Amino acid sequence: MLENMTVLTADTFQSYTADRSCLVLVFRRQCPHCRVLMAVVDKCRPLCPDLPVTGVDADESPGILDSVGVTKVPTILVYRNGHVSGFKSGVMNPSELLALVASSKA
Amino acid sequence: MGRSERDLIIVGGGIGGMTAAIYAARAALDVVMLERAVCGGLANSSWNVENFPSYRSIAGLELMQKIRSHVESYQVAIEEMTEVTHVDVESRQKLIDTSSGQYAAKAVIFATGASPIRLPIESGCDERVHYCSLCDGPAYRGRDVVVVGGGNTGFDESLSLVSLGVRSAVIVECMTMCRAEQSIQKQAFSTGRITVRTDSRLSAIIPHAERLRVAVEHLRSGVMDEIAADGVFVFIGQKPNTSMLEGKVKLDKAGYVIGDARMHTNRPGLFAAGDVVAKRYRQLTTAMADGTIAALEAARYLRECV
């Protein structure tokens, strides 16, 4: 689990993402690919200081996955002012994550 | 980004690389281990490891974390999320360019492992084709899946899926019999929820209403059949991660590094260990043996040749 990562639940997800810009990492605790993506996110954190990192535990909050259309973990959602402006499932390397973040600004 | 000079560079942080790191550190070498993702390699995805001496049963991720902690205890420099972009292994001083700078050493161990082979058909519903039961299996609780591949991994992942609550798993294997160990096959069949179709090849995945129609061809008779399922999990083997070595080191036809019994490649000072090596058996224990030998030989090489 990443340090300083707020884990959102069914009670907090909507209100947290309503008007914020942030990264949401959808993960499972026993998922090895999620561990890889957490390391990628951690490495990229200093390069996207405007995007606090949050998480959603897919096993604890399956309803959130349905509401945002996530079928696989790990998945990264990039929120800009409350809207999903970037979305990608699967493991990616740091440059791919940074490209996703950059494309979400357009 | 500057250059970091070391005695030994280990490329790859799977169990072969980590074992090499322990032995190299104990030989008082200044060693760095470069890993493109996180340490542990393919074993991180193993639901249950039952053939690792000292553990009757342990999750792959947990085992790899324990070994990584062991490596850390020797103050080995572990550089995760570091992608190798170019290698120059022709001269005595070998250079490894990475996403985080250049590394130089007189000895290098390649332990880059292998990656899963993707399903070689266009499905049109990629969101329901998976390569990791622990990642995506929970979404199939109470549902039916097809597992492609009847090796140890296919059976291990099928058992994982059943333990996660999958209602049924049909393993599709193209050979006349499954290659998995008898003990794991027996364990799988005893669940009553895992069945096998040998001599068969998955030929298409067609979305149908909320489900999938998985077309399977019987290879001897040519008869086509369909399995109704909700998802497909693919475990059809691996390919070696050696693209960076093409034209620089002797590889076999499949791309595995050809090494001798002492893990030397055809390049002096360049060693190989683990699943990346051309050999018959690819197990955690054989990768550890490779890593041990490669590190000891690298230490000897540095003593004698430098």
Side-chain angles (χ1 to χ4, degrees):
Chain A
M1 184 69 73
L2 285 178
E3 280 180 30
N4 305 321
M5 180 170 80
T6 307
V7 177
L8 303 173
T9 65
D11 293 335
T12 59
F13 182 77
Q14 286 296 344
S15 58
Y16 188 92
T17 56
D19 54 4
R20 273 198 180 83
S21 296
C22 63
L23 286 182
V24 179
L25 169 59
V26 184
F27 66 93
R28 286 197 166 89
R29 285 174 197 274
Q30 295 305 314
C31 155
H33 296 169
C34 300
R35 190 170 152 242
V36 173
L37 195 54
M38 280 183 192
V40 173
V41 169
D42 203 31
K43 186 155 188 168
C44 293
R45 256 179 173 177
L47 302 173
C48 358
D50 56 325
L51 295 172
V53 177
T54 64
V56 169
D57 185 323
D59 291 319
E60 288 179 5
S61 309
I64 297 176
L65 277 67
D66 293 338
S67 70
V68 293
V70 171
T71 57
K72 285 184 174 184
V73 297
T75 289
I76 285 278
L77 299 143
V78 187
Y79 275 82
R80 297 275 181 196
N81 302 315
H83 299 285
V84 177
S85 49
F87 181 111
K88 192 169 178 181
S89 293
V91 174
M92 58 194 106
N93 61 35
S95 56
E96 289 168 330
L97 176 59
L98 292 172
L100 176 69
V101 168
S103 68
S104 73
K105 286 178 185 167
Chain B
M1 289 183 283
R3 178 196 281 194
S4 172
E5 301 220 0
R6 307 279 180 159
D7 296 328
L8 171 68
I9 301 167
I10 298 171
V11 184
I15 193 163
M18 289 197 287
T19 305
I22 290 169
Y23 274 82
R26 288 174 60 82
L29 299 183
D30 178 15
V31 56
V32 62
M33 186 167 67
L34 309 174
E35 165 55 46
R36 66 177 177 173
V38 297
C39 291
L42 285 178
N44 278 338
S45 302
S46 292
W47 172 63
N48 201 19
V49 176
E50 293 185 339
N51 53 8
F52 191 88
S54 75
Y55 291 102
R56 177 68 187 81
S57 171
I58 185 169
L61 193 58
E62 185 187 354
L63 178 62
M64 292 304 108
Q65 282 173 333
K66 286 176 186 289
I67 297 170
R68 189 188 187 286
S69 299
H70 191 169
V71 176
E72 275 184 308
S73 73
Y74 285 106
Q75 279 86 49
V76 169
I78 301 174
E79 300 292 346
E80 294 181 313
M81 309 312 308
T82 299
E83 188 96 39
V84 172
T85 53
H86 183 258
V87 301
D88 176 357
V89 291
E90 286 166 23
S91 49
R92 175 166 280 210
Q93 180 84 330
K94 290 152 183 53
L95 302 174
I96 309 290
D97 291 328
T98 76
S99 52
S100 55
Q102 187 179 65
Y103 293 84
K106 292 190 172 65
V108 175
I109 296 173
F110 263 89
T112 47
S115 298
I117 296 172
R118 313 295 286 184
L119 190 65
I121 61 168
E122 293 289 327
S123 70
C125 50
D126 284 349
E127 72 281 0
R128 285 198 266 174
V129 178
H130 308 276
Y131 296 84
C132 171
S133 65
L134 290 171
C135 308
D136 302 323
Y140 291 93
R141 207 165 280 141
R143 301 164 84 186
D144 306 304
V145 301
V146 168
V147 173
V148 189
N152 279 335
T153 307
F155 273 84
D156 180 63
E157 298 278 340
S158 298
L159 281 164
S160 165
L161 288 163
V162 164
S163 80
L164 291 167
V166 163
R167 185 168 54 193
S168 76
V170 180
I171 296 174
V172 176
E173 166 59 47
C174 62
M175 309 286 276
T176 51
M177 56 190 293
C178 292
R179 292 153 292 135
E181 290 168 8
Q182 286 302 310
S183 60
I184 194 170
Q185 291 198 37
K186 196 173 166 188
Q187 199 181 338
F189 297 140
S190 72
T191 64
R193 289 196 273 166
I194 297 171
T195 54
V196 172
R197 290 195 185 191
T198 53
D199 254 340
S200 300
R201 183 174 65 91
L202 191 151
S203 58
I205 303 172
I206 306 141
H208 178 68
E210 294 293 304
R211 306 194 76 199
L212 302 174
R213 284 162 44 196
V214 180
V216 175
E217 178 189 4
H218 190 263
L219 292 169
R220 269 190 292 177
S221 65
V223 171
M224 296 293 290
D225 189 12
E226 284 186 354
I227 303 170
D230 300 291
V232 176
F233 286 78
V234 182
F235 308 103
I236 52 176
Q238 290 110 34
K239 59 174 188 290
N241 298 319
T242 51
S243 57
M244 68 188 90
L245 293 177
E246 281 170 15
K248 298 171 181 172
V249 177
K250 204 179 278 184
L251 307 175
D252 72 5
K253 280 183 186 169
Y256 290 95
V257 178
I258 297 174
D260 64 15
R262 294 178 295 130
M263 314 319 295
H264 291 242
T265 69
N266 63 313
R267 293 268 177 210
L270 184 65
F271 305 84
D275 285 3
V276 78
V277 176
K279 57 182 176 178
R280 178 167 293 184
Y281 300 111
R282 293 192 174 82
Q283 300 289 310
L284 292 172
T285 46
T286 58
M288 290 170 76
D290 290 352
T292 304
I293 296 165
L296 295 175
E297 284 293 313
R300 176 186 286 265
Y301 172 82
L302 290 168
R303 275 197 313 271
E304 293 180 352
C305 303
V306 177

